Amino acid sequence: MERLLQLILERLEQIQQYLFSRRGSSNTQPAQITIPDRIRVQEPLRVISDTGSYVAGEVEVTNTPLPVSVSNTPLQVSQSGSWSVGISNTPVSVTVTNSPLTVGYSTVLYAPISATTATDTQIVPAVSGKRIRVIAYAVIANATVSIKFRSGTTDITGSMRVVEGGGIAHAYDGGLFQTAVNQPLNINLSNNATVGGYVVYREV
């Protein structure tokens, strides 16, 4: 507070000196004096002239704001990860065309199985330029025996044990096994037994 009063007194002395220098002038415009921003005073004052009389008028004390410039520097931001992009408020036209699916099957053929000796027995003879694809079969044996199907002399199934009076049956439209091109379909017995049954196949 004392510092503030001291500053005001100093400014008043400056004002008095200024008025003395303008003595005899008819100009009654207020004197503009700028003081630091820390002193915020604006009120009419009465001062004494060099003759000792009061001088009518006002002394205006104003504050001059300090210019301040603020610069915003953008920060670099790095984004990483996965992004999903959507179309907002935009109609999307989608056309779905249904095309009929044509499935073609070759002719289904049948052949009997009749084997009695421990060797290869032909079921279906070779077909020129085609394979024999078995889609179903059934066998039954009058004695315990192991059987397997062959493409010519090459095994195309594992050995399957059939007990006396027992049998095996399987079916799958996609195909259970098939021969090589230009090879017959044979059945092989591990020992002498009477094995009967059938195969359902396609030439592919």
Side-chain angles (χ1 to χ4, degrees):
M1 178 62 70
E2 292 179 355
R3 177 59 178 165
L4 176 60
L5 294 176
Q6 181 181 358
L7 289 173
I8 293 175
L9 290 174
E10 291 175 356
R11 296 303 182 266
L12 291 176
E13 290 177 359
Q14 294 176 3
I15 293 169
Q16 188 176 26
Q17 293 174 4
Y18 176 83
L19 292 175
F20 289 163
S21 66
R22 294 175 57 86
R23 183 176 55 189
S25 173
S26 61
N27 188 356
T28 60
Q29 295 293 327
Q32 300 287 334
I33 297 180
T34 301
I35 63 176
D37 186 62
R38 62 188 178 187
I39 303 176
R40 300 182 180 274
V41 178
Q42 185 173 355
E43 61 181 286
L45 298 175
R46 299 176 66 188
V47 297
I48 302 174
S49 69
D50 57 344
T51 62
S53 62
Y54 291 103
V55 178
E58 292 183 351
V59 176
E60 184 178 0
V61 181
T62 61
N63 297 318
T64 302
L66 298 176
V68 178
S69 177
V70 179
S71 298
N72 294 323
T73 303
L75 299 177
Q76 294 184 353
V77 179
S78 176
Q79 294 283 356
S80 62
S82 300
W83 296 83
S84 298
V85 179
I87 301 176
S88 177
N89 298 324
T90 302
V92 179
S93 178
V94 178
T95 302
V96 179
T97 303
N98 294 321
S99 299
L101 177 64
T102 302
V103 179
Y105 291 99
S106 57
T107 304
V108 176
L109 302 172
Y110 308 88
I113 296 175
S114 180
T116 57
T117 58
T119 185
D120 288 343
T121 300
Q122 182 174 283
I123 303 172
V124 179
V127 179
S128 178
K130 293 188 177 182
R131 304 172 186 271
I132 300 167
R133 179 174 296 166
V134 177
I135 59 175
Y137 74 91
V139 293
I140 190 170
N142 70 342
T144 299
V145 63
S146 293
I147 67 170
K148 55 186 174 181
F149 293 94
R150 311 186 80 184
S151 171
T153 57
T154 303
D155 294 348
I156 53 176
T157 69
S159 180
M160 296 174 283
R161 186 169 182 269
V162 183
V163 298
E164 180 180 354
I168 304 173
H170 285 292
Y172 175 57
D173 193 67
L176 296 168
F177 48 85
Q178 64 185 16
T179 66
V181 177
N182 299 324
Q183 291 296 316
L185 174 64
N186 296 330
I187 188 171
N188 177 271
L189 306 184
S190 61
N191 52 268
N192 293 335
T194 300
V195 176
Y198 63 87
V199 295
V200 181
Y201 66 96
R202 292 189 180 99
E203 296 176 354
V204 297

